[in-house]
Amino acid sequence: MGNGPDIKDIQTIEHDVIVIGAGGAGLRAAIECSRQGLNTGLVCKSLLGKAHTVMAEGGMAAAMGNVDNRDGWKIHFRDTMRGGKFLNNWRMAELHAKEAPDRVRELEEWGAVFDRTKDGLISQRNFGGHRYPRLAHVGDRTGLELIRSLQDYGVHSGIHVHMECTALDLMKDGDRVCGALGYWRDTGRFVLFKSKAVILATGGIGKAWRITSNSWEYTGDGLAMAYLAGAELLDLEFTQFHPTGMVWPPSVRGVLVTEGVRGDGGILKNSEGKRFMFGYISPRFAPETADTEEEANRWLAGDKSARRPPELLTRDEVARAINAEVKAGRGSEHGGVYLDIASRLPAEVIRKKLPSMYHQFKELAEVDITKQPMEVGPTLHYHMGGILVDAESQMTTVPGLFAAGECGAGLHGANRLGGNSLSDLLVFGRRAGLGAAEYIKALPGSPAPVADQVQASMRRATDILNRDSGTNPFVIQDQLQDMMGKNVGIIRTKSELETAVGELEKFKSEADKVKAHATSQYNAGWHTALDLRNLLIASEAVAKAALTREESRGAHTREDFAGEREEWVKYNVIIKRGADGSMVVEKRERKPGPTPLVEIANSKIEDLEGGKVGADYK
Amino acid sequence: MAERTFKIWRGNKDGGEFVEYKVDVGPGWVVLDCIHRIQMQHSTDLACRWNCKAGKCGSCSMEINGKPRLGCMTRMNSLPEGTITVQPLKTFPVIKDLVTDVSWNFEQNKRIAPFKPRPRDADGHHRMKQEDVDRVQEFRKCIECFLCQDVCHVLRDHKAHDKFVGPRFMIRLASLEMHPLDTDDRVEKIRKEFGSGWCNITRCCTEVCPEHIGITDNGIIPLKERVVDRFYDPVAWFLGKVFGKK
Ligand SMILES: Cc1cc2nc3c(=O)[nH]c(=O)nc-3n(C[C@H](O)[C@H](O)[C@H](O)COP(=O)(O)OP(=O)(O)OC[C@H]3O[C@@H](n4cnc5c(N)ncnc54)[C@H](O)[C@@H]3O)c2cc1C
Ligand code: SF4
Ligand code: SF4
Ligand code: FES
């Protein structure tokens, strides 16, 4: 070929399956692959145990009924559908609610030490949108417990871990996936992974925004690689803005303040000292939400006849309410609102229940949350949209390519409930592993990477270093974040979204000229430059999907199309790469849900609990 | 904005030197913010690990003014005036700039036999009292920043990596040994294979732990006691195993 290094000279590693991403989803998938007898490779950009999952705070949702025995999978399923504004994949929401308790118990079997109830069982805490206390947790560091338990168990299960290795592109043999090209961070050298199947577990796309709870890793790599490999993407317009991120000082703007603060009694106040959430209860949730402070306080004290405080409405609702308060001039000093736990709980209880929040504010903002309120505001947090997968096997529309965790899509619909991600990772991580094993069993022969693809991928990477001059990748990323925050934010309009689409064209041509200096070894600039392509694909896809959905549903709010439109619940927005390489957007009709599930999701809570609805459905 | 001067170690395994940078520091900034600013404005290839920027992942370990610390939790206004020096962890081999090869630690973890729980109760639950897991949970707060490994003189000065697993893995062992459900017998190995005897209780590890884990007093000393108990009093050990550990 003469256009780059010979593919025979590149280090090649062969596995039956490679899992890209070592958060909860990737680790659980890899463990399952290994259990199924597959030779399994696990690749991640950072060191093992540092993936986003480690940051999860509040807990993991599973209807175990340890704290309130009225809970069960049907109620969890109903909450998930209602939180997702009925756009969720019915089957995924069912599987998730049914299987989550087993996944929690399994984790305990692998060494996780959850907080306990008085009777010594796994304790469960309240969270937004969950009817009963449902989140298994460890203080406010549940993600750490989850990832460390999987990691400690996983390293004994024969998985081959390749740390600080970044996947650049998927490789295909005909229409099948056959591996991926990556590079080692510590040397800057390329490595070709050959495999029969690939599981993507790369997480989200938060780095397209400046104010985000997400780290540098969240550049939509899995989404973009899948897209370029021909996979379909689902409902990308649904980007979750978590209502409570830190707003001050500027250097920590966006860092998450767990919903657990509100679950444990924290309340939101505006600059006038008013507990404003009572003014923002939407009709859907009104029958199940307290309408006086007195009732909300009774609920907190454990009165089972009282309804839940409005601070625990779903995230989309709370984020919009905060946004509205700030816009109306009732915001806090630095443009947020106040979150008060100090006046609600004794100092030692706060320190015990929310230790990492206590430290985070003390050390980063010089605020003592046992004495003062926190200043909080919305922060880009999670991507409900993602790669379209089969509910049972997690296979994408590309044979041999699977996706699980945040980079996949379907379970959460238009809005994710807190705590439903960690359970998602385990339920569908495991299923992806099983799916890959089944696929491989039925696979005729071994697909093999094609030299042209490998070389094209390497050339794209090395061009960035070899160019004589060009734009600074950090500066482009910074400008992109600014642009996305302005035009594809929490409240959206047609004209701003169109501006975004236009701007993104300019960013794309800028990104083609990006230059990284020095050598390829552990080079932050080069890495940021490589990520740009993925970030731009993700941004474009979100903007175009948001433009297409002409309604407001869940996390997607269109100022020019207020409110949910009956017609739109029937459609998904699908994005894929067209034959000419341009992005194709399709409004695709959804299959109606199975009758018993539809009935359960739409039932009155009394009817469901009284056995009038769904009693026969197992 | 106040201008501050940094001296950052730049180099790789073949050697390196301190390079000076000036940074305009914004309100509330931490050292990691300054490093990011240097990457953006002066040196895009400066190598530094980070992920969460909130003290939760343990990636951004470095030595700031000679002390092992997390870059993301070290506020600029907590540092004395004058030049700030930043260098990689000394105990582990340098890869580039502030990034070191910490893979030895991951190897140690693999040597530790996995959790081996007793069977569940008849109704499928494991029952444990909160007060019986408090201690284990304290150890499990560890974010694997390896700052304690960096500061422990057994590893740092004596380079006894083949004899002692270091404080991080002593508390990992303690979290298993003190786990109410674990049935494995680990005491012998703690002494022989993992080298508990090498620790001479200087408490330097405890001092640097960003998670404020009582590594020495709550973890290593009780482990040492168990080792001694076993040696002198096998009966007490046996009863302890059968009727619950302290
Ligand atoms: C601060 C915070 C708090 C949260 N709290 C909760 C909570 O309480 N409850 C809850 O349910 N959810 C919570 N979430 C959401 C939840 O933590 C995440 O959605 C979830 O952890 C994602 O897991 P994952 O396995 O999909 O991906 P991640 O854990 O993000 O892992 C992604 C992995 O992919 C790797 N990767 C990415 N790109 C590449 C590439 N190109 N090559 C190789 N590897 C790659 C990364 O290195 C990483 O290992 C929280 C999120 C945040 C940010
Ligand atoms: S107390 Fe022991 S483990 Fe900790 S630093 Fe001192 S010698 Fe090392
Ligand atoms: S014990 Fe503390 S210092 Fe040591 S690795 Fe864990 S968190 Fe870091
Ligand atoms: S970046 Fe995670 S601990 Fe500093």
Side-chain angles (χ1 to χ4, degrees):
Chain A
M1 275 241 142
N3 264 329
D6 196 317
I7 122 163
K8 286 197 291 297
D9 299 336
I10 307 166
Q11 179 191 13
T12 303
I13 299 179
E14 211 164 328
H15 294 297
D16 291 329
V17 57
I18 62 162
V19 180
I20 303 178
L27 273 162
R28 186 62 189 83
I31 288 171
E32 198 57 37
C33 289
S34 202
R35 288 177 143 194
Q36 298 301 317
L38 301 179
N39 175 327
T40 308
L42 179 62
V43 183
C44 51
K45 286 210 263 193
S46 292
L47 296 173
L48 190 62
K50 311 295 183 198
H52 243 80
T53 298
V54 79
M55 294 178 230
E57 295 163 357
M60 169 173 169
M64 300 194 289
N66 288 355
V67 172
D68 193 321
N69 60 16
R70 290 175 294 180
D71 205 9
W73 80 261
K74 287 174 198 163
I75 302 182
H76 190 185
F77 164 79
R78 178 180 179 272
D79 290 344
T80 301
M81 293 301 300
R82 291 160 61 89
K85 319 293 160 176
F86 294 89
L87 207 64
N88 323 52
N89 177 305
W90 295 90
R91 180 66 177 150
M92 283 175 85
E94 178 188 9
L95 288 171
H96 169 254
K98 279 181 172 166
E99 294 177 5
D102 280 346
R103 299 285 78 76
V104 174
R105 281 188 279 268
E106 175 180 82
L107 208 61
E108 186 176 46
E109 210 60 29
W110 294 347
V113 184
F114 292 102
D115 288 351
R116 317 307 293 184
T117 65
K118 284 203 183 65
D119 304 328
L121 306 180
I122 292 173
S123 178
Q124 300 187 266
R125 77 155 41 115
N126 280 302
F127 237 56
H130 292 282
R131 181 163 176 85
Y132 294 119
R134 190 177 281 149
L135 269 66
H137 61 273
V138 186
D140 52 6
R141 57 162 190 88
T142 313
L144 170 63
E145 191 69 16
L146 183 142
I147 202 165
R148 200 68 82 231
S149 304
L150 292 172
Q151 183 185 339
D152 289 341
Y153 181 82
V155 295
H156 292 288
S157 68
I159 301 167
H160 303 272
V161 181
H162 308 294
M163 298 194 286
E164 296 201 311
C165 181
T166 301
L168 294 171
D169 282 293
L170 296 171
M171 298 292 130
K172 281 174 78 182
D173 181 355
D175 63 347
R176 286 177 191 284
V177 139
C178 61
L181 183 79
Y183 90 89
W184 300 108
R185 207 148 212 233
D186 63 348
T187 58
R189 296 232 168 83
F190 293 109
V191 51
L192 179 61
F193 294 100
K194 283 190 189 176
S195 67
K196 297 173 187 156
V198 174
I199 299 176
L200 294 171
T202 53
I205 61 168
K207 269 294 150 193
W209 287 264
R210 168 140 336 106
I211 301 175
T212 175
S213 64
N214 294 176
S215 84
W216 67 269
E217 290 200 315
Y218 264 21
T219 48
D221 298 4
L223 199 77
M225 287 190 283
Y227 167 82
L228 293 170
E232 293 185 344
L233 311 179
L234 174 76
D235 291 342
L236 298 174
E237 63 277 28
F238 298 110
T239 51
Q240 179 168 75
F241 290 85
H242 193 291
T244 58
M246 293 175 80
V247 297
W248 187 260
S251 64
V252 294
R253 191 160 190 141
V255 170
L256 194 75
V257 181
T258 175
E259 195 165 314
V261 176
R262 283 170 286 138
D264 289 337
I267 55 174
L268 291 165
K269 289 182 185 166
N270 62 21
S271 59
E272 296 163 3
K274 185 173 167 212
R275 192 170 166 187
F276 59 82
M277 277 310 298
F278 287 101
Y280 293 92
I281 305 171
S282 66
R284 174 174 289 147
F285 292 104
E288 292 164 36
T289 308
D291 49 15
T292 62
E293 292 197 27
E294 178 273 329
E295 183 179 2
N297 288 340
R298 269 196 290 125
W299 176 89
L300 192 65
D303 179 345
K304 289 194 174 179
S305 69
R307 293 171 299 174
R308 309 160 52 76
E311 278 84 4
L312 291 178
L313 285 168
T314 54
R315 288 178 176 172
D316 50 332
E317 319 243 348
V318 182
R320 270 193 303 271
I322 293 176
N323 200 59
E325 285 296 311
V326 175
K327 269 205 174 153
R330 295 188 291 270
S332 65
E333 199 184 341
H334 301 105
V337 295
Y338 297 105
L339 173 60
D340 168 31
I341 186 85
S343 74
R344 312 276 298 168
L345 288 175
E348 68 275 14
V349 179
I350 297 173
R351 276 194 295 266
K352 168 79 196 165
K353 283 193 156 181
L354 301 162
S356 82
M357 285 305 108
Y358 174 75
H359 277 124
Q360 186 173 308
F361 273 90
K362 195 143 191 250
E363 283 167 41
L364 295 176
E366 290 171 351
V367 165
D368 180 347
I369 68 168
T370 67
K371 297 202 179 85
Q372 298 156 271
M374 300 162 244
E375 265 190 87
V376 295
T379 178
L380 192 282
H381 181 57
Y382 184 85
H383 200 196
M384 275 71 68
I387 306 163
L388 176 70
V389 291
D390 172 65
E392 314 277 337
S393 70
Q394 300 293 105
M395 185 140 91
T396 68
T397 50
V398 174
L401 183 63
F402 297 76
E406 189 170 340
C407 73
L411 170 62
H412 308 291
N415 174 57
R416 172 177 75 89
L417 296 185
N420 268 2
S421 171
L422 294 185
S423 40
D424 168 11
L425 308 181
L426 299 183
V427 167
F428 293 105
R430 171 177 162 275
R431 284 189 161 268
L434 289 170
E438 221 162 274
Y439 167 84
I440 289 173
K441 230 186 278 162
L443 187 71
S446 276
V450 180
D452 284 7
Q453 291 175 30
V454 180
Q455 276 168 339
S457 179
M458 288 192 297
R459 213 174 310 121
R460 174 178 76 87
T462 46
D463 278 355
I464 297 170
L465 290 164
N466 293 339
R467 243 167 237 139
D468 292 332
S469 65
T471 24
N472 177 333
F474 291 106
V475 172
I476 304 188
Q477 197 195 58
D478 200 56
Q479 290 168 347
L480 172 71
Q481 292 172 338
D482 217 38
M483 192 285 286
M484 288 295 282
K486 268 196 206 111
N487 297 306
V488 194
I490 181 165
I491 310 284
R492 300 162 177 179
T493 65
K494 182 168 190 224
S495 64
E496 284 172 357
L497 291 169
E498 279 172 350
T499 305
V501 171
E503 290 285 315
L504 281 164
E505 287 306 315
K506 290 187 218 151
F507 276 106
K508 280 198 268 181
S509 51
E510 278 293 299
D512 286 339
K513 294 187 295 238
V514 67
K515 161 78 185 159
H517 294 274
T519 66
S520 62
Q521 189 197 21
Y522 224 109
N523 184 331
W526 188 43
H527 201 95
T528 302
L530 287 166
D531 289 345
L532 268 180
R533 176 200 71 184
N534 302 332
L535 213 44
L536 287 168
I537 289 175
S539 302
E540 184 183 352
V542 171
K544 288 190 169 162
L547 204 51
T548 308
R549 185 171 289 274
E550 297 188 324
E551 66 160 347
S552 297
R553 181 178 296 275
H556 171 65
T557 306
R558 285 282 298 261
E559 202 170 62
D560 41 356
F561 294 94
E564 288 175 22
R565 309 279 160 117
E566 203 39 51
E567 131 100 0
W568 265 102
V569 77
K570 299 191 197 111
Y571 294 96
N572 291 125
V573 176
I574 304 287
I575 285 189
K576 65 169 176 243
R577 192 160 186 252
D580 63 351
S582 65
M583 194 174 273
V584 180
V585 188
E586 182 196 336
K587 183 176 162 185
R588 185 180 294 171
E589 194 160 346
R590 298 169 70 202
K591 285 203 201 79
T595 312
L597 291 180
V598 174
E599 282 174 6
I600 293 171
N602 287 292
S603 62
K604 279 212 208 105
I605 189 71
E606 303 81 41
D607 292 347
L608 182 61
E609 296 193 333
K612 272 201 217 156
V613 172
D616 312 329
Y617 189 72
K618 296 281 177 259
Chain B
M1 288 212 187
E3 189 183 80
R4 298 290 304 257
T5 307
F6 277 83
K7 270 191 173 164
I8 298 186
W9 193 87
R10 303 291 313 264
N12 56 28
K13 66 174 180 6
D14 303 323
E17 58 183 2
F18 283 96
V19 178
E20 204 174 282
Y21 300 96
K22 299 218 187 289
V23 180
D24 282 330
V25 177
W29 278 27
V30 292
V31 169
L32 187 63
D33 289 315
C34 299
I35 289 172
H36 285 160
R37 185 49 61 106
I38 292 166
Q39 282 180 332
M40 193 164 172
Q41 292 185 336
H42 304 291
S43 179
T44 53
D45 76 320
L46 170 60
C48 169
R49 285 195 182 103
W50 70 282
N51 281 67
C52 68
K53 214 172 166 291
K56 294 191 167 72
C57 72
S59 301
C60 60
S61 306
M62 52 186 79
E63 296 190 5
I64 300 168
N65 287 344
K67 285 210 192 95
R69 306 186 66 167
L70 297 178
C72 74
M73 294 302 276
T74 306
R75 282 176 65 109
M76 290 300 294
N77 64 8
S78 73
L79 296 172
E81 271 176 43
T83 303
I84 299 152
T85 60
V86 184
Q87 60 200 97
L89 300 183
K90 183 181 163 216
T91 301
F92 301 105
V94 169
I95 294 176
K96 183 181 158 191
D97 306 339
L98 302 177
V99 173
T100 55
D101 178 359
V102 290
S103 57
W104 178 79
N105 294 290
F106 290 88
E107 293 308 316
Q108 303 318 300
N109 194 30
K110 275 196 211 158
R111 292 171 55 204
I112 298 175
F115 175 57
K116 200 167 140 196
R118 68 174 187 228
R120 287 176 174 272
D121 297 349
D123 62 357
H125 288 290
H126 277 310
R127 284 182 174 72
M128 295 185 276
K129 289 220 185 79
Q130 183 61 45
E131 56 264 37
D132 293 336
V133 298
D134 278 343
R135 180 57 43 88
V136 175
Q137 286 186 330
E138 179 190 355
F139 303 142
R140 294 184 67 87
K141 285 196 308 196
C142 170
I143 56 174
E144 297 207 321
C145 63
F146 307 130
L147 292 177
C148 58
Q149 305 285 83
D150 182 51
V151 82
C152 175
H153 68 102
V154 182
L155 304 175
R156 190 179 178 103
D157 303 326
H158 304 294
K159 305 279 174 222
H161 291 72
D162 54 337
K163 304 200 177 63
F164 181 47
V165 282
R168 156 56 189 140
F169 296 101
M170 290 311 285
I171 60 150
R172 162 99 179 102
L173 286 159
S175 78
L176 289 163
E177 177 59 22
M178 297 179 197
H179 196 309
L181 301 178
D182 188 51
T183 59
D184 204 13
D185 174 9
R186 301 171 191 273
V187 174
E188 175 88 7
K189 285 193 184 144
I190 286 170
R191 185 173 70 103
K192 273 204 178 147
E193 290 178 25
F194 300 119
S196 59
W198 280 82
C199 163
N200 58 348
I201 320 189
T202 59
R203 294 194 176 82
C204 311
C205 52
T206 307
E207 266 167 44
V208 298
C209 177
E211 286 293 311
H212 309 292
I213 300 170
I215 305 176
T216 327
D217 289 26
N218 297 343
I220 300 181
I221 292 176
L223 282 188
K224 281 174 168 282
E225 281 168 2
R226 285 178 191 219
V227 168
V228 172
D229 279 359
R230 168 83 68 93
F231 192 71
Y232 289 114
D233 191 356
V235 179
W237 166 80
F238 176 75
L239 293 176
K241 268 288 179 196
V242 175
F243 297 108
K245 301 177 204 170
K246 272 179 275 167

